[in-house]
Every structure is written in structure tokens, then in C-alpha cells.
Amino acid sequence: MIESDVTVILADGQFPAHPIPLAILRRARMVICCDGAAQKLIGSGIRMPDYVVGDLDSLNMELLDRLGDKVVRIESQESNDLTKAFELALSMNSEKIVILGATGLREDHTLGNISLLSRYAENADVLMYTDYGRFMAIYETTTIPSHKGQQVSLFSLTPNTPISYKGLKWDITERPLLSWWEGTLNEALGDSFTVIFEGGRVLVYQAYMQKV
């Protein structure tokens, strides 16, 4: 079920094409665009952005005038546009945040955006959806809803943390994931799986069953 009480942050990566992120974008209570993502959203005809955040170097004056008071100019180079948009969402008391458009173009931007998810999730309920699946960050033992046959990958951002998991085709017990590939390409056996650890940070990726 697609919730309608989420705030969407639309990053300036590849614009969503899969039905799931597109449905989230349509139903969101508010959409905050990162700079050039505003042009993509308006061009899609889906909706207008509620806010546009960044140094705005990707937008022409005509569009800036059209957006008017929806524009929030933040020129600081101490954080990227995605973080600026996230901080704006927090300032508006957004408790559920979905990040879209954060992947699919330059690989360095993709890796940077995905890694930031673990930082953001300390302050809000945050998920990142792509055209292929969903990322979430967890900080402690967590049972995650799934379905039989779903492809699952886990990435430890604290590689010395021992991790166990149950309910996946290839379970492990008290093993640190020293390299990112070590937790990839697993598969759920039922309607949930559990990741067991303490004092670390883990990114969980769940692929869609339905393709574009």
C-alpha cells in the first residue's frame, strides 16, 4: 500500500520510471526537489514541486521566476543538495521521508547518496526507492517484512560488526561483512527475515518482484 503522508525528496539523478516510485511521487503530501530535479518533475507533468532546494545553478531564471516562493536557495558547499533537502524536510516536521531519483546517473553520486541514508535515518523514518528496489538503514536487530523469493542484499557500513541473519536462503552467524559484496544476492524464504547485530550500521536492499 502506497502511503500518502510521506514527504518525497526528489534528487537530481535518474527520474523514476517504475510504477512503485511513481505512485509514491503522485501520492506524497509534499515534494521537495533538489535543484535540477525540479525541471524533470515539471516536465513529467505529474505535479509541481512544493519546494526546490540548493544553490539553484541548474535552473534558468524563467523557471526560478515561475517557482517564486517555492525556491529555497542554500549556497553552502558544506553539504550536498540532498542533505539540504533532507534538513528542510526535518524543519517542516516530516516524520516519514522517501528519497527518489538518487541513483541511476553518475556512480559517485549514487554511492554518496546511498551512504547518506544511514545518517538521515538517525533523525526520521527514511527509505530510498529506485527503479529496481528499496534501501533502508538499520542500527540494531531488526525483522523486515518481505516475501518468498525476494532478492535481498545487505551492506555493512561498520565492517567489524558481527552480523547474523535468519530467514534468508544463505544465513550467516556472527560474521562481519568486511566487503560490500559479501552480503549481496541473497533471497528471502518467507514473509520476513531478521538481521541480528549490535552497535553498527547496515543498509538493506530489497528488490521489487515487478520490473519496469
Side-chain angles (χ1 to χ4, degrees):
M1 181 177 178
I2 305 298
E3 297 181 80
S4 59
D5 61 342
V6 302
T7 294
V8 162
I9 296 174
L10 183 63
D12 195 17
Q14 183 171 301
F15 192 83
H18 191 281
I20 291 177
L22 285 174
I24 294 170
L25 186 58
R26 290 188 177 98
R27 290 179 58 85
R29 72 177 186 92
M30 179 168 62
V31 176
I32 301 173
C33 287
C34 298
D35 208 335
Q39 185 84 55
K40 297 174 184 176
L41 178 60
I42 294 169
S44 74
I46 292 174
R47 62 187 293 169
M48 289 290 289
D50 294 285
Y51 295 95
V52 182
V53 179
D55 56 18
L56 309 180
D57 57 355
S58 301
L59 303 180
N60 59 47
M61 288 304 301
E62 180 181 351
L63 182 55
L64 289 173
D65 289 342
R66 180 181 174 188
L67 291 169
D69 59 6
K70 298 177 185 290
V71 172
V72 181
R73 186 185 297 272
I74 305 174
E75 296 184 353
S76 170
Q77 299 301 310
E78 296 301 314
S79 60
N80 64 4
D81 287 345
L82 184 57
T83 298
K84 294 169 186 173
F86 178 74
E87 290 173 349
L88 177 64
L90 285 184
S91 74
M92 295 181 172
N93 300 315
S94 299
E95 296 181 355
K96 296 181 180 180
I97 298 173
V98 171
I99 299 171
L100 304 177
T103 64
L105 295 181
R106 275 179 49 176
E107 289 84 358
D108 54 345
H109 288 176
T110 292
L111 288 171
N113 289 340
I114 293 171
S115 71
L116 282 168
L117 188 61
S118 72
R119 172 181 161 190
Y120 299 158
E122 294 177 340
N123 300 295
D125 180 358
V126 187
L127 298 171
M128 180 182 289
Y129 284 78
T130 75
D131 279 340
Y132 301 95
R134 182 186 80 172
F135 284 96
M136 65 184 298
I138 57 176
Y139 303 94
E140 60 186 1
T141 296
T142 305
T143 297
I144 300 169
S146 185
H147 48 262
K148 185 176 181 180
Q150 183 177 44
Q151 299 298 296
V152 176
S153 292
L154 295 99
F155 305 91
S156 177
L157 300 183
T158 49
N160 292 322
T161 301
I163 296 174
S164 304
Y165 32 85
K166 298 179 180 179
L168 297 177
K169 188 172 183 179
W170 294 282
D171 283 344
I172 62 172
T173 302
E174 291 290 310
R175 172 182 160 186
L177 300 178
L178 300 177
S179 298
W180 279 17
W181 70 269
E182 292 183 29
T184 61
L185 305 178
N186 217 319
E187 184 177 311
L189 297 177
D191 59 6
S192 68
F193 59 91
T194 301
V195 186
I196 304 163
F197 67 102
E198 294 181 2
R201 296 176 179 227
V202 174
L203 293 175
V204 180
Y205 175 80
Q206 296 171 269
Y208 305 138
M209 297 294 283
Q210 176 188 3
K211 297 182 179 179
V212 177

